Amino acid sequence: MAGSSLNNFIKDVRGAKTLAEERSIITKASAKIRTKLRDDHLPLEKRRKNIQKLLYLYILGEKTHFGQVECINLIASEEFADKRLGYLAATLLLDESEDLLTLLTNLLNNDLNHPNKYVVSLALTTLGSLGSSELARDLYMDVENILKGSRDPFIIKKALQCIGKLITKDFTLLDIFDTKLITSILENHSLCTHGVLLGINKVLQSILLNHETFQLSLSNDGYADDSKPLLNELVKIIPELLSLLQSLSIKNFEPEYDIQGTCDPFLQCESIYTLRLFFEQTLDLSQYQNKFCDLLTQIATNTDGAKNCGQAILYETARTIFSLNLEQPLRVLGVNILAKFLSQKDNNTKYVALNTLLKVVDQEPETVQRHRKFISKCLRDPDISIRKRALELSFAILNDVNLVEIVDQLIGFLAGAIDDDKTLIVYTVENLVKILESHNISDEKWKLSILFESLKLAGTYVTSDITGDILISINNSKDTIQRRNLVVDMLMISLDETKNCEISEDNIAWLIVTIWCIGEYADEILEDPSCRQALSETKMTNFLVLQDKTFNISNKKLINYLLTAALKLSSKFKDSGCIEALRQIILGHTKDSDLLIQSKSVQYEIIFAQPQSVKKVLLETMPVFERRKCMKVGNTSPELKKIHKSTDKSSNVALLDLGSENDKKKDTEVANSSTPADLLADLFSSTSIDENTKNTSRNGKTVQISVSATKIYDSDTIQAYVQLISCDAGSAQIELYLKSSKAISDIKPFSAVPRTQKLTLGQLYPGNSLQKDEVCSQVLKITGTGKLKLRIKLDFKLNGVPVEQQFDYKFEQTL
Amino acid sequence: MEKPLRDIQMTHIKYLILASRQGKVRLTKWFSPYSPKEKQKIVKELTPMILARKAKMCNIVEYSDHKVVYRRYASLYFICGVMPDVDNELLTLEIIHRYVETMDSYFGNVCELDIIFNFSKAYDILNEILMCDGSMAESSKADVLKHVMTMDSMEGNDNLDRVLS
């Protein structure tokens, strides 16, 4: 039986009891196929069977390169079954880079002109998926001829898809592209099946997306010409597209294309996207603008948003409105569509809505605000991806007016968070601390209570950087009475054995803050007679001794804080027993295996022995710390991941200042016997240096302009540098640096090279927006021949306003 | 991996992976160029990630530099990589559903075994539904089935010719 050997093979593989057995079956089969394929006299039917087995191996993720030539042999066969399998195998096993593609050119050429339309269709599909730029150039005309000659929607559809792909492979094809190809099809309604229309959309999208590069390459070659003949021709198609879309959105029932009462969502979405690309071009389309806006409104009202297919169309509509930044009423409409998604049960719509709202919150802040209720509801969603987005969006819409409301919701989120949410918890606390700092909050008590509350709820997870930030916030609090009250509350919980079970044992951050607060504020607290009962010197000392025992080895960071607290208390406590106990803590670490702790305790021990008058000055309460600029979130809220990676360098430093660095300075100070004032000066100067060296750090990645790079362009906003990394025969690699002197966003560099060359662009690194004096870079690879020259056009947004700059540069090198 | 900027904005599915509940791969189709190493990495990382998700969670996952839309049908997961910000995730779900429906009509109550043993048919159907770059090629299910079946019968005719000659 014909198919049996493949079936048996599949059964054998599936029947394997162990991975090892499966492996051995696969290896054996693979070797067998390899030998069989080498045999030139194998009958075609057997060859087909071997290729089928090979495809199964491909699905299993095995190596299949040895069958590549065989695919081509099958394609060359005259039998349809062979051709079909051969083409299928070719699209799967071969890829664009293979040298074998040249072997394909002739076969494809023959089959494109084959009398059987299915053979032609197979060839078109294969050309589309494998087409390298050479294949694209060689065979484009054949495809165009098929399009011109055929009256069969099936073939026309396939040819259109193929042309769309070929243009992306080689944009210079636009030079010979004839818009009549499309218009003549549109004129003949009997040809316009939905498949054909999808194909037309694809070709249009492909042209619109590649046109800019094409135009640049033209002007680079000296054909400076600002008129865009091709686009101006294509614009005439817009009315056609509009009326097509309109009829789709009204049409109620057409069984072939109907999905749950919606007419062909696929074609509707593709058409909206094509139109969007048209309106994104720098063309004067004002005559169609109103019609398009009306149509979007109509789609938004007519489409049934209860089912996924309708939602897909509504989603596309909303995205288009924001991407084109259409007029305000439409933007409100867009936000309302998305808000409706949020209110529904379906998780997918919630996810896309949150995701999109996050992007448009800058464009329409007020309207997004109105849907706060739904957003905060998503904070409690069972799906973590939705909670994550809802958190980001909560921070993005936070402002002075809703601050208290949203922060309370976020605390509610922390209270209900589960272990899975670790990264979300850290993200929330990190941003809460920043928010509390960056907004002007008059209610100091509320602010501090939020800090303590988040510590209590999330201290187990937060990083030491955040702990440091919280300490700074407490330290800098202006209302010392409120601060004292809250610290007392905190100590009441920590020091009372009946209450400290409220705090998780792993809540290190809470402990560190408690320890630090004892060291800093013990004297203030004990001055208050009402506290003296519950909180005595002995209780605090016992607490510290207990922590020392518990974390002696397991947590060195905490010990650092503990030592400093013990030292500080030595000048604050009066009870000699307590003071001795504190001394013992420090003494106990003078032989610590950790070198830093060891040296620190040895030095502390010396200070400990100093007379009270000397110590008083040294161990005074910490001064107010200056915050660094980076403590800012809110409307610019970048995505969670990014914030996460960036863990601000400066808060890192702040922590060191509070914890160990500070103490080290004190130590050196003892040695040099300089004054405390100098010490502070020192401290702050070290942080300011840190700020200067901060440079272009984003997401923890930095780009620096190479020293050997040449400046090729300079305007008041942006400077460009290039560096030639390599230049061999036929290929060159160039690094382009962009340095900005103002904060800009949405940077899009378009580069073009002479026509004899081909350009491959790398991605913009580290991202497409720059702060002042930041640098981003992009790698350009050029292959081909001729003089090396570049034309670069920069699109970016300065304060939200699009700016366009263009310049040329000629290298001395020639390819 | 470096790609030309312009390639990035086309709407299309980057790849489609069919995986069983046990994590076995049943079908893969790569619409964007990936090296064999990258393919392996994606399959290896993505399948357990998707399988671990609970039924109530949304069908969109962020993975690496792009998004992944998936849907489970009985024992089989249909997993698609898409371009963030360009592709319409909800529409991708419709595309997956259309693929499943079409196979269902073709095989008649399609199940995982049909796809395992007739993977080349599953590819044939896919090639009629999606374009070579992974976007929707034909929104009529009837049209897709008609052409796949005509081609099937042409293969049969080959055999017939051979017997007759």
Side-chain angles (χ1 to χ4, degrees):
Chain A
M1 180 59 210
S4 70
S5 74
L6 172 67
N7 281 356
N8 285 341
F9 174 46
I10 297 176
K11 273 182 198 150
D12 287 347
V13 173
R14 281 168 50 76
K17 301 242 165 20
T18 59
L19 269 182
E21 195 185 328
E22 186 183 302
R23 193 85 297 235
S24 105
I25 295 173
I26 289 173
T27 325
K28 265 187 214 149
S30 172
K32 210 168 150 195
I33 295 169
R34 208 189 275 240
T35 343
K36 282 267 174 68
L37 291 181
R38 255 190 239 132
D39 177 4
D40 289 334
H41 305 291
L42 205 67
L44 268 172
E45 201 178 331
K46 284 261 169 64
R47 291 184 175 269
R48 208 154 63 207
K49 209 138 291 161
N50 279 308
I51 287 294
Q52 277 172 336
K53 284 189 197 169
L54 197 63
L55 288 183
Y56 186 64
L57 289 178
Y58 166 82
I59 293 173
L60 296 177
E62 299 296 317
K63 284 208 174 86
T64 51
H65 56 277
F66 51 87
Q68 288 170 340
V69 178
E70 193 61 24
C71 307
I72 295 174
N73 288 341
L74 275 180
I75 295 172
S77 156
E78 268 311 306
E79 283 185 34
F80 184 72
D82 291 335
K83 272 199 192 300
R84 196 182 188 193
L85 183 65
Y87 275 123
L88 173 63
T91 53
L92 296 174
L93 306 183
L94 269 60
D95 66 54
E96 290 172 32
S97 54
E98 307 289 345
D99 298 332
L100 291 172
L101 287 186
T102 39
L103 290 176
L104 256 184
T105 318
N106 248 332
L107 290 172
L108 283 172
N109 198 357
N110 288 338
D111 283 348
L112 287 175
N113 299 302
H114 201 277
N116 184 318
K117 70 169 179 177
Y118 289 105
V119 174
V120 178
S121 89
L122 289 174
L124 284 169
T125 312
T126 310
L127 175 59
S129 43
L130 292 176
S132 59
S133 46
E134 286 103 77
L135 269 182
R137 273 193 296 273
D138 290 345
L139 295 174
Y140 176 80
M141 283 317 287
D142 294 83
V143 183
E144 201 181 282
N145 285 334
I146 293 174
L147 208 51
K148 278 180 188 152
S150 178
R151 298 284 87 184
D152 182 345
F154 178 70
I155 287 301
I156 292 178
K157 169 178 89 180
K158 294 276 175 182
L160 285 167
Q161 295 164 10
C162 188
I163 284 194
K165 186 70 187 286
L166 295 185
I167 290 172
T168 56
K169 285 288 151 204
D170 184 6
F171 60 83
T172 56
L173 288 175
L174 290 179
D175 210 17
I176 48 172
F177 181 83
D178 184 0
T179 42
K180 281 211 193 73
L181 287 177
I182 294 181
T183 45
S184 66
I185 296 170
L186 282 170
E187 276 160 17
N188 188 343
H189 285 284
S190 65
L191 294 181
C192 291
T193 64
H194 286 204
V196 169
L197 292 171
L198 282 169
I200 288 180
N201 272 296
K202 191 86 312 192
V203 174
L204 291 175
Q205 288 171 13
S206 177
I207 295 173
L208 292 167
L209 287 166
N210 286 287
H211 192 268
E212 187 139 17
T213 338
F214 168 64
Q215 198 76 22
L216 274 172
S217 81
L218 277 188
S219 54
N220 211 13
D221 283 356
Y223 302 99
D225 188 359
D226 262 350
S227 69
K228 298 167 177 166
L230 179 58
L231 282 191
N232 288 328
E233 274 301 308
L234 282 182
V235 163
K236 294 175 191 158
I237 300 178
I238 293 181
E240 233 10 277
L241 283 174
L242 287 169
S243 65
L244 165 76
L245 189 55
Q246 178 153 33
S247 68
L248 283 176
S249 83
I250 307 172
K251 231 178 247 171
N252 283 326
F253 192 68
E254 204 175 328
E256 200 175 353
Y257 298 111
D258 180 84
I259 302 181
Q260 297 170 315
T262 304
C263 186
D264 202 341
F266 308 108
L267 184 54
Q268 287 204 44
C269 287
E270 288 293 339
S271 308
I272 296 174
Y273 185 63
T274 310
L275 283 163
R276 167 172 145 195
L277 291 179
F278 264 116
F279 283 92
E280 275 173 3
Q281 301 285 327
T282 44
L283 288 168
D284 178 26
L285 297 178
S286 49
Q287 49 174 330
Y288 305 117
Q289 180 99 14
N290 280 341
K291 181 90 201 295
F292 186 46
C293 290
D294 290 348
L295 189 51
L296 288 176
T297 319
Q298 184 199 319
I299 293 172
T301 7
N302 288 356
T303 309
D304 171 20
K307 302 267 167 48
N308 183 65
C309 47
Q311 287 160 348
I313 298 173
L314 291 172
Y315 174 44
E316 194 64 42
T317 310
R319 294 203 302 178
T320 305
I321 291 172
F322 291 110
S323 150
L324 297 175
N325 203 5
L326 297 174
E327 288 153 23
Q328 215 253 348
L330 274 162
R331 294 204 304 269
V332 174
L333 180 74
V335 172
N336 289 342
I337 291 177
L338 298 171
K340 193 149 183 236
F341 281 6
L342 281 186
S343 67
Q344 283 165 347
K345 269 200 183 136
D346 185 70
N347 269 338
N348 297 319
T349 49
K350 270 194 237 170
Y351 175 86
V352 295
L354 288 170
N355 216 4
T356 317
L357 284 173
L358 196 60
K359 289 195 196 95
V360 306
V361 72
D362 284 345
Q363 278 169 284
E364 203 50 50
E366 289 304 312
T367 324
V368 179
Q369 284 291 348
R370 261 181 254 153
H371 304 286
R372 276 206 306 277
K373 195 177 74 196
F374 295 122
I375 298 169
S376 69
K377 218 170 130 196
C378 292
L379 283 175
R380 296 188 298 275
D381 199 277
D383 187 344
I384 186 166
S385 357
I386 293 188
R387 289 199 296 277
K388 177 181 158 193
R389 293 286 158 196
L391 272 179
E392 288 171 345
L393 192 54
S394 297
F395 279 112
I397 59 169
L398 194 143
N399 60 24
D400 285 330
V401 183
N402 60 28
L403 179 77
V404 176
E405 180 192 329
I406 291 189
V407 169
D408 282 346
Q409 280 162 4
L410 292 169
I411 290 291
F413 163 76
L414 287 180
I418 46 171
D419 282 353
D420 283 358
D421 290 339
K422 191 172 172 255
T423 46
L424 298 190
I425 295 172
V426 175
Y427 168 79
T428 311
V429 178
E430 190 174 6
N431 282 293
L432 265 179
V433 175
K434 287 176 189 172
I435 293 271
L436 292 177
E437 258 341 283
S438 57
H439 284 77
N440 207 355
I441 301 165
S442 51
D443 187 351
E444 198 73 20
K445 183 182 173 195
W446 177 78
K447 180 173 152 184
L448 285 168
S449 70
I450 293 294
L451 284 177
F452 280 113
E453 199 58 32
S454 26
L455 253 187
K456 201 166 157 187
L457 293 168
T460 315
Y461 306 108
V462 300
T463 59
S464 47
D465 293 357
I466 305 178
T467 320
D469 279 338
I470 295 178
L471 286 179
I472 296 180
S473 292
I474 297 173
N475 184 63
N476 290 1
S477 173
K478 288 175 216 91
D479 190 336
T480 50
I481 297 171
Q482 290 301 347
R483 177 173 69 192
R484 194 187 63 201
N485 291 344
L486 275 156
V487 172
V488 168
D489 289 347
M490 187 177 193
L491 296 189
M492 291 288 200
I493 297 174
S494 295
L495 269 55
D496 189 331
E497 276 164 21
T498 56
K499 281 188 191 156
N500 64 10
C501 52
E502 282 177 33
I503 306 296
S504 152
E505 278 175 25
D506 310 327
N507 197 336
I508 298 297
W510 170 272
L511 280 178
I512 285 182
V513 174
T514 313
I515 291 169
W516 189 84
C517 285
I518 293 179
E520 280 303 301
Y521 308 120
D523 47 344
E524 273 182 47
I525 292 165
L526 294 173
E527 268 166 29
D528 185 347
S530 62
C531 302
R532 235 173 273 160
Q533 277 258 285
L535 304 167
S536 62
E537 288 187 5
T538 327
K539 273 202 175 164
M540 292 188 199
T541 314
N542 288 345
F543 176 75
L544 293 188
V545 172
L546 178 70
Q547 300 312 321
D548 185 35
K549 272 189 195 137
T550 323
F551 294 100
N552 197 349
I553 300 159
S554 58
N555 196 326
K556 294 292 176 198
K557 187 144 244 154
L558 188 136
I559 296 296
N560 267 309
Y561 282 94
L562 194 76
L563 289 172
T564 310
L567 179 66
K568 286 219 159 188
L569 289 177
S570 74
S571 75
K572 291 179 177 166
F573 279 1
K574 298 183 183 71
D575 185 302
S576 59
C578 289
I579 293 178
E580 180 52 28
L582 293 171
R583 208 173 71 87
Q584 287 302 329
I585 293 180
I586 294 175
L587 217 56
H589 287 283
T590 49
K591 293 197 172 71
D592 200 292
S593 59
D594 184 314
L595 206 61
L596 267 175
I597 292 189
Q598 190 192 95
S599 62
K600 185 184 255 183
S601 11
V602 170
Q603 287 156 340
Y604 277 11
E605 198 197 344
I606 300 171
I607 308 176
F608 209 99
Q610 299 294 315
Q612 195 59 258
S613 57
V614 176
K615 281 204 278 187
K616 264 256 152 63
V617 191
L618 276 179
L619 305 175
E620 247 178 36
T621 316
M622 295 295 281
V624 169
F625 263 78
E626 267 184 59
R627 286 279 181 179
R628 274 151 290 264
K629 283 175 243 154
C630 55
M631 303 292 277
K632 205 182 159 217
V633 285
N635 288 345
T636 49
S637 157
E639 282 172 26
L640 172 55
K641 251 192 235 149
K642 286 180 192 152
I643 290 194
H644 215 69
K645 278 191 205 148
S646 73
T647 44
D648 310 4
K649 291 266 153 44
S650 48
S651 54
N652 222 332
V653 173
L655 182 82
L656 285 171
D657 286 351
L658 272 176
S660 47
E661 197 75 4
N662 194 4
D663 306 317
K664 260 186 255 155
K665 292 267 162 56
K666 275 184 205 159
D667 302 335
T668 45
E669 188 243 338
V670 174
N672 303 340
S673 71
S674 59
T675 63
D678 279 339
L679 160 81
L680 289 178
D682 225 37
L683 231 166
F684 284 128
S685 66
S686 86
T687 57
S688 61
I689 287 168
D690 181 71
E691 212 176 289
N692 291 339
T693 51
K694 222 179 117 205
N695 207 353
T696 332
S697 96
R698 232 178 334 141
N699 312 345
K701 302 170 191 162
T702 53
V703 174
Q704 266 164 343
I705 297 175
S706 157
V707 233
S708 51
T710 335
K711 190 185 235 182
I712 56 167
Y713 179 68
D714 194 355
S715 74
D716 53 347
T717 32
I718 205 160
Q719 288 125 42
Y721 298 79
V722 286
Q723 190 196 4
L724 194 60
I725 298 168
S726 65
C727 179
D728 311 320
S731 80
Q733 196 168 349
I734 295 164
E735 179 114 31
L736 170 72
Y737 298 98
L738 299 172
K739 184 178 178 186
S740 169
S741 43
K742 289 173 185 150
I744 56 177
S745 62
D746 292 340
I747 307 166
K748 285 184 205 145
F750 295 97
S751 307
V753 289
R755 279 180 172 195
T756 49
Q757 299 165 6
K758 191 170 158 42
L759 177 67
T760 318
L761 297 168
Q763 269 177 353
L764 215 53
Y765 183 88
N768 67 349
S769 57
L770 290 177
Q771 296 300 315
K772 185 177 183 302
D773 290 334
E774 281 189 341
V775 180
C776 64
S777 71
Q778 184 184 35
V779 177
L780 314 174
K781 278 185 193 149
I782 300 173
T783 49
T785 51
K787 277 226 153 80
L788 211 49
K789 52 183 180 178
L790 277 177
R791 165 157 300 172
I792 297 172
K793 187 172 142 248
L794 295 172
D795 281 3
F796 55 86
K797 283 186 180 156
L798 177 63
N799 304 324
V801 183
V803 182
E804 197 180 297
Q805 298 189 348
Q806 187 178 318
F807 51 92
D808 294 350
Y809 182 71
K810 270 190 199 143
F811 290 87
E812 286 162 10
Q813 288 81 355
T814 305
L815 276 176
Chain B
M1 196 175 66
E2 283 161 5
K3 275 191 208 143
L5 259 180
R6 57 178 186 276
D7 233 27
I8 287 171
Q9 301 154 348
M10 291 291 265
T11 60
H12 61 230
I13 292 173
K14 291 152 80 84
Y15 52 80
L16 170 74
I17 301 169
L18 267 60
S20 76
R21 216 171 39 192
Q22 288 78 29
K24 296 261 184 218
V25 178
R26 297 306 183 203
L27 199 83
T28 53
K29 171 87 184 164
W30 306 87
F31 296 100
S32 295
Y34 286 98
S35 72
K37 255 213 177 103
E38 287 167 316
K39 290 180 188 174
Q40 220 175 11
K41 184 168 172 268
I42 291 175
V43 172
K44 214 169 154 191
E45 291 178 354
L46 207 53
T47 14
M49 193 171 125
I50 302 285
L51 295 181
R53 288 178 65 85
K54 298 189 187 89
K56 269 187 214 154
M57 293 182 162
C58 68
N59 299 78
I60 306 156
V61 193
E62 276 150 58
Y63 168 73
S64 175
D65 63 344
H66 58 276
K67 287 194 178 172
V68 172
V69 178
Y70 72 95
R71 181 162 266 176
R72 183 182 160 176
Y73 289 88
S75 58
L76 210 52
Y77 283 84
F78 289 70
I79 305 167
C80 289
V82 298
M83 296 297 305
D85 301 334
V86 180
D87 269 311
N88 184 324
E89 298 93 333
L90 302 179
L91 197 68
T92 309
L93 284 171
E94 281 303 317
I95 294 177
I96 294 177
H97 189 68
R98 173 53 62 89
Y99 182 36
V100 177
E101 273 182 345
T102 313
M103 283 200 288
D104 198 58
S105 308
Y106 182 87
F107 290 108
N109 256 332
V110 70
C111 67
E112 196 185 333
L113 282 176
D114 289 323
I115 296 173
I116 297 173
F117 285 99
N118 300 291
F119 60 84
S120 70
K121 280 287 156 282
Y123 275 121
D124 289 338
I125 296 170
L126 186 64
N127 283 342
E128 290 305 314
I129 295 180
L130 292 183
M131 293 184 198
C132 44
D133 69 347
S135 51
M136 197 68 181
E138 177 58 65
S139 36
S140 158
K141 189 167 87 182
D143 198 78
V144 169
L145 286 169
K146 185 179 91 191
H147 292 299
V148 173
M149 286 171 178
T150 318
M151 283 193 255
D152 289 351
S153 67
M154 281 173 62
E155 284 191 10
N157 287 344
D158 279 348
N159 289 332
L160 196 68
D161 288 348
R162 210 177 9 251
V163 174
L164 291 177
S165 62

